[in-house]
Amino acid sequence: MHLHKYEKYWLVFGVATLVVFLIILGIGAFHQGSHPNNGKKTLDYEKVNEFPPFDNPGVHKVEGKDWDYEVVVLASAFNYNPPEIEVPLGAKVKFIATSADVMHGFEIAGTNINMMLEPGYISEYVTEVNKLGEFLIVCNEYCGTGHTMMHSMLKVVD
Ligand code: CUA
């Protein structure tokens, strides 16, 4: 195949543009400064279940902190660990959550709690639970075939 001289230039230009574009994309995707979450970087997300606090998901009573309970949540396709959260009415709770695989959501219906859970980042939210009842926790980030089945429950008990 014979390429005209100018066609060759355009081909090189096209490839160079593509390379530059991919580099910019790469920087954009991995540069922490542009991260939408103010979450902290965690350890390797694929091994996050081996490291505290995610080696022990669940509801933990704590002492000497500004909150009474820490709720550690590890999301993965397509469930939450723990599958159910129970806290007493009036408790000050810190939710600490992350994902072990892809991006998930953590939205507690009927409350203002709505976090994005990204692999490699810890999402935290401190709140006082001042409403009795059962609140559905749903994943609001599309995460795959089981996305619509991914949910959990927050029970606020007396
Ligand atoms: Cu997890 Cu959608």
Side-chain angles (χ1 to χ4, degrees), residues 5 9 11 16 35 44-45 48 60 63 74 83 86 88 95 98 101 115 118-119 122 134 140 143 149 155 158:
K5 192 179 171 188
Y9 285 144
L11 192 65
H35 205 265
D44 183 1
Y45 69 85
V48 75
H60 308 292
E63 303 286 340
L74 186 56
E86 191 177 298
F95 290 91
T98 192
D101 42 42
M115 300 193 291
E118 282 180 84
I122 300 174
E134 296 189 354
N140 57 8
C143 55
M149 300 298 291
K155 290 184 176 178
D158 219 348

Side-chain angles (χ1 to χ4, degrees), residues 12-44:
V12 169
F13 179 73
V15 169
T17 307
L18 185 66
V19 167
V20 168
F21 178 70
L22 288 176
I23 289 168
I24 291 167
L25 249 179
I27 291 166
F30 298 111
H31 186 245
Q32 217 179 319
S34 65
H35 205 265
N37 244 353
N38 52 4
K40 299 173 207 153
K41 193 94 175 81
T42 67
L43 296 157
D44 183 1

